[in-house]
Amino acid sequence: MGRLENIRNIGIMAHIDAGKTTVSERILYYAGKTYKMGEVHNGTAVMDYLEEEQKRGITITSAATKCPWKGFEINLIDTPGHIDFTAEVERSLRVLDGAVAVFDGSEGVQAQSETVWRQGQKYDIPCLCFINKMDKIGADFEMSVGSIREKLHANPVPVQIPMGAEDSFSGIIDLIAMKAVFYKAEEMGATFTETEIPAEYEEKARKYRARMIEAAAEHDEELMMTFVNDEPAQEQAIRRGLRKGTLANKVHPVFVGSALKYVGVQRLLDGVVAYLPSPLDKPVIKGHKPDDESKEIPVKCDPDGSLVALAFKITSDTHGDLYFLRIYQGSLKAGSRVLNPNRGKKENITRLFEMHANERRLREEAQAGDIIAVVGLRETLTGDTLCDTRKPVVLPSITFPQTVITMSIEPRSAAERAKLGDALESLRREDPTFSYKIDPDTGQTVISGMGELHLEILQHKLVKEKRVDVRVGKPRVAYKETITKTARAEGKFVHQSGGRGQYGHVVLEVQPLISEDGHWEPKIGFSSTVSPDNIPHEYIAAVERGVREAAGNGPLAGYLVIGVQATAVDGSYHSVDSSDLAFEQAAAFAFEKALKEAGPVLLEPVMRVQVSVPDAYFGAVQADLLSKRGLISDCRVHGTTRVVDAKVPLVELFGYSSDIRSLTAGRGSFTMEPLSYERVPDQVAKGILY
């Protein structure tokens, strides 16, 4: 069996607090990577190695590690569940081959489980489900499996069922081997005993097994024949059918246990090896030529091919930036020179490392299928491709959501000002959902991110890691501007001052750019229908640059413009005086003028909010959401708790954590994530603009 078939690149994804870091810690322990079991609640988890992560008990960066299991190599990436760190999840899923979705056994599918599941499906990632915390009060296996089917539109197929729940949770039944498995907690679950299935669970186990075989048989002809003829199914055939179904993303095998109580994690690792894809099982990726997206170049997992890798994460380090790469094709040696076709720059890779959370081991070479960290790159950003200098190819990049919240920030002294610029640039390289700009009117630096927690942690990094002393303003909503109708305008830039002049003339048409679901697209589209006789081809790129530059400053209040399709329809040039600069300026003038004519409106970020409250406080919470311009889309009863789904404008949600505490005597909780940008009602817009 080749080495590539034995590699599994997997991620663990879940809603915040479903226990995924604890699952990762157990995996490392059983795989012999750590000798002492780390615990999130004691702040000793290996994977949560940042001080902020240990203090808050949440995962912020996705840590990468490699662990051996029964002759296989598992590259494991522990991703955050908190939606403010959505970029971490997005970029990890982009480079993984498979994932384990962890669910809280007493909650089933929660708001952010849906989000990470959607992100996984976007990249067509085969998934196993692990229903964790079966020992917790309220744990309900059937409810959890049902919620995966209903809310995620998935096909959960239990390959194990629990014996008991809550305090009586005693072990699991393996439906393939038809054995009961009991774990010895005093030995950290490293030893377990297999016995015949206790009589009271026999019938339930038989029912579940029949369903599992039926689901597996749909993907394996041989198994289908035995199933149709009512013959006993072989274990090997069941596993083969389940593997085929999982790789096709049509079956999601369900495992069960309690990571905290050491139950079920080894079997989950067996499942990762048995059902999730190796790099060879993944379809060929379609890259394209750097200068022409229509010219496809297939990239397949072959260590002997020319190098193609994707940089999916950058962390700054005292010894220089560390770049995490997934190698898709070819191999990479320390000390080699590579091309970054996204930036058109050649880069040097001085050293390669295999990562284990924040420890690293030097490697001389890495091959297709590997996930490694390298040092030496200078120009590369997240989502960039690195390839052989002689065979350029660009992989599809990673798209990140728009920032929704801004905050002003200023250094406390002139000496800190120079340091601040470098520190912000370093944070921007690490985190693609963070951006900053200098406000031309006030001279203040404004930083933008995905949520209050995101900005709080970035501010903490500036002070603690980058040692820059800063004062911060209050968080503010990142409004955007867009248009509601089509308009046309011309811009001229003519400058004569003796000697060679400047001449650029552009006519632009703008129209709203709306997505299928009726929202404005979070981007600016550009096209040109001008004949080369009017504007030569070489100036079109300058026209586009001018449009994009002008989109940074909307006509209403200077917010970023989105959801506009700009088309260059006409213009003229001068054979001597025309230049890129002149066309850039002319396009910017035309775009600004056209926007004013096109019915500009203000857009605000709207969040998807999920609130869990005890029944007694439901009325107060519902009334409060409605007073915040909220729209309630769903409300369900879960034991003695109500779970409310709503969409609410972000501006109304500042300080919501203290609101919910006071409304529910400290017993309510909520999560929120960006949903879309929607038009601000006129009454509210007046208050913002005037």
Side-chain angles (χ1 to χ4, degrees):
M1 195 153 155
R3 176 176 166 262
L4 277 172
E5 287 160 18
N6 287 2
I7 292 180
R8 297 288 179 273
N9 291 319
I10 65 158
I12 294 192
M13 58 186 200
H15 181 88
I16 192 164
D17 279 344
K20 64 191 165 312
T21 298
T22 307
V23 173
S24 305
E25 292 297 322
R26 300 296 182 256
I27 288 176
L28 296 183
Y29 175 76
Y30 295 129
K33 274 292 189 179
T34 43
Y35 301 104
K36 186 170 132 298
M37 196 78 87
E39 300 292 357
V40 177
H41 50 261
N42 298 340
T44 55
V46 179
M47 300 291 267
D48 284 357
Y49 54 86
L50 294 177
E51 182 192 337
E52 279 289 289
E53 296 186 302
Q54 290 173 358
K55 197 167 85 185
R56 294 169 190 269
I58 60 174
T59 305
I60 296 169
T61 60
S62 41
T65 188
K66 181 187 237 78
C67 53
W69 184 254
K70 297 186 178 176
F72 287 79
E73 277 177 37
I74 297 177
N75 285 318
L76 174 75
I77 294 188
D78 177 26
T79 63
H82 204 291
I83 202 64
D84 281 16
F85 312 107
T86 179
E88 287 287 337
V89 182
E90 187 82 33
R91 59 176 159 204
S92 305
L93 290 173
R94 171 70 176 75
V95 297
L96 294 175
D97 299 329
V100 175
V102 179
F103 301 93
D104 181 324
S106 68
E107 302 281 351
V109 172
Q110 293 163 280
Q112 275 140 21
S113 347
E114 291 185 46
T115 307
V116 291
W117 187 271
R118 276 201 315 271
Q119 285 175 303
Q121 293 307 301
K122 183 165 103 183
Y123 294 121
D124 207 16
I125 288 179
C127 252
L128 304 184
C129 303
F130 182 64
I131 294 177
N132 189 22
K133 302 193 180 185
M134 276 309 297
D135 56 324
K136 190 176 157 187
I137 291 174
D140 181 339
F141 179 72
E142 289 183 358
M143 175 280 296
S144 297
V145 173
S147 72
I148 294 172
R149 183 176 295 111
E150 285 149 31
K151 291 192 191 157
L152 304 179
H153 308 298
N155 181 18
V157 176
V159 293
Q160 303 170 341
I161 55 171
M163 289 184 281
E166 304 184 358
D167 292 349
S168 66
F169 175 57
S170 56
I172 58 182
I173 293 173
D174 179 333
L175 297 173
I176 296 180
M178 279 307 259
K179 288 271 190 273
V181 187
F182 296 93
Y183 289 83
K184 292 192 168 63
E186 61 280 4
E187 294 181 35
M188 292 197 166
T191 55
F192 50 84
T193 49
E194 285 192 1
T195 66
E196 291 306 311
I197 296 170
E200 71 261 36
Y201 292 113
E202 261 188 14
E203 192 186 339
K204 189 176 177 186
R206 270 205 300 275
K207 272 189 188 155
Y208 268 103
R209 187 171 203 258
R211 279 185 223 161
M212 171 187 75
I213 293 173
E214 189 178 352
E218 286 182 16
H219 301 278
D220 188 272
E221 282 178 25
E222 209 177 303
L223 185 59
M224 185 53 99
M225 294 313 291
T226 53
F227 177 69
V228 172
N229 298 327
D230 241 358
E231 294 164 14
Q234 299 295 316
E235 285 187 26
Q236 200 182 348
I238 299 173
R239 288 202 170 89
R240 192 177 59 225
L242 285 172
R243 180 175 177 82
K244 286 180 184 168
T246 308
L247 295 187
N249 215 347
K250 297 273 196 304
V251 169
H252 304 105
V254 178
F255 293 76
V256 64
S258 161
L260 194 63
K261 295 283 193 291
Y262 319 113
V263 176
V265 178
Q266 295 103 313
R267 297 276 163 144
L268 177 64
L269 279 171
D270 293 341
V272 163
V273 164
Y275 307 124
L276 288 180
S278 76
L280 291 173
D281 293 318
K282 296 295 279 184
V284 171
I285 298 171
K286 293 183 175 68
H288 60 81
K289 286 202 145 176
D291 48 1
D292 187 353
E293 288 196 23
S294 62
K295 294 212 171 107
E296 282 187 0
I297 300 174
V299 174
K300 60 175 185 286
C301 186
D302 171 11
D304 300 326
S306 58
L307 172 75
V308 183
L310 186 81
F312 68 96
K313 179 178 162 73
I314 303 168
T315 56
S316 65
D317 192 292
T318 39
H319 313 296
D321 287 353
L322 196 61
Y323 292 78
F324 286 81
L325 307 183
R326 160 76 197 256
I327 303 180
Y328 284 102
Q329 182 178 287
S331 53
L332 181 63
K333 288 190 172 69
S336 50
R337 196 160 166 77
V338 296
L339 172 71
N340 176 338
N342 300 75
R343 315 265 155 238
K345 295 270 173 39
K346 289 190 178 167
E347 296 263 52
N348 293 318
I349 288 180
T350 49
R351 279 175 305 175
L352 305 181
F353 297 104
E354 186 176 296
M355 296 304 289
H356 171 48
N358 60 340
E359 292 170 23
R360 48 176 86 170
R361 296 193 187 90
L362 264 174
R363 291 226 346 219
E364 279 309 302
E365 186 177 9
Q367 295 181 327
D370 281 338
I371 288 179
I372 48 148
V374 302
V375 175
L377 300 170
R378 295 203 176 286
E379 308 277 345
T380 300
L381 292 178
T382 301
D384 284 1
T385 305
L386 295 170
C387 60
D388 187 315
T389 49
R390 297 182 302 279
K391 294 189 176 163
V393 54
V394 178
L395 290 170
S397 191
I398 310 176
T399 51
F400 294 108
Q402 295 261 336
T403 55
V404 295
I405 185 167
T406 66
M407 185 163 79
S408 65
I409 171 170
E410 50 187 62
R412 286 187 189 272
S413 66
E416 301 283 297
R417 187 170 293 281
K419 272 166 51 183
L420 178 65
D422 293 345
L424 289 174
E425 191 51 39
S426 151
L427 285 178
R428 190 180 67 84
R429 290 167 65 76
E430 278 183 38
D431 183 349
T433 54
F434 163 74
S435 62
Y436 69 94
K437 64 174 192 178
I438 314 271
D439 185 326
D441 302 333
T442 61
Q444 266 182 332
T445 303
V446 178
I447 61 176
S448 315
M450 297 310 298
E452 286 183 272
L453 178 65
H454 188 198
L455 289 187
E456 199 181 310
I457 284 172
L458 286 164
Q459 178 195 339
H460 192 89
K461 270 187 169 178
L462 278 175
V463 177
K464 273 278 168 42
E465 287 175 26
K466 314 284 186 209
R467 309 246 180 269
V468 184
D469 197 5
V470 290
R471 267 199 302 269
V472 294
K474 276 202 164 60
R476 291 201 307 257
V477 168
Y479 291 104
K480 303 272 190 279
E481 296 183 26
T482 191
I483 56 173
T484 51
K485 54 188 192 199
T486 303
R488 184 182 276 225
E490 70 173 331
K492 266 191 173 172
F493 184 74
V494 184
H495 196 67
Q496 300 298 137
S497 57
R500 188 176 162 184
Q502 294 281 5
Y503 182 89
H505 170 218
V506 180
V507 179
L508 282 182
E509 187 172 279
V510 296
Q511 62 196 85
L513 185 58
I514 309 273
S515 65
E516 285 172 15
D517 59 3
H519 290 110
W520 281 273
E521 290 269 12
K523 60 180 186 185
I524 295 286
F526 176 80
S527 59
S528 166
T529 57
V530 187
S531 115
D533 299 340
N534 294 7
I535 302 179
H537 189 67
E538 68 260 27
Y539 294 129
I540 296 298
V543 172
E544 182 174 357
R545 265 200 311 278
V547 165
R548 295 194 183 284
E549 192 71 25
N553 197 358
L556 293 172
Y559 294 114
L560 183 70
V561 177
I562 62 167
V564 175
Q565 175 68 34
T567 309
V569 290
D570 201 1
S572 61
Y573 79 109
H574 187 285
S575 55
V576 178
D577 290 352
S578 279
S579 67
D580 276 355
L581 175 73
F583 273 104
E584 213 171 296
Q585 293 289 343
F589 294 154
F591 189 65
E592 283 166 15
K593 260 196 245 171
L595 289 181
K596 285 180 185 152
E597 305 288 313
V601 290
L602 207 54
L603 297 178
E604 64 182 343
V606 172
M607 310 300 273
R608 185 168 125 172
V609 181
Q610 188 174 72
V611 191
S612 297
V613 291
D615 237 344
Y617 303 104
F618 170 64
V621 168
Q622 184 183 25
D624 181 60
L625 283 171
L626 294 172
S627 75
K628 291 179 165 19
R629 297 194 281 132
L631 269 177
I632 293 175
S633 57
D634 188 22
C635 174
R636 45 194 186 283
V637 180
H638 189 74
T640 56
T641 309
R642 289 279 186 124
V643 180
V644 185
D645 285 317
K647 40 187 241 182
V648 188
L650 174 64
V651 69
E652 305 284 350
L653 289 168
F654 283 149
Y656 189 54
S657 43
S658 48
D659 292 358
I660 196 119
R661 272 200 298 275
S662 59
L663 284 169
T664 62
R667 294 173 60 201
S669 65
F670 78 101
T671 55
M672 66 175 178
E673 55 169 329
L675 177 66
S676 59
Y677 267 89
E678 293 185 12
R679 185 172 173 174
V680 180
D682 293 345
Q683 283 341 86
V684 181
K686 277 186 184 131
I688 298 164
L689 295 173
Y690 307 112

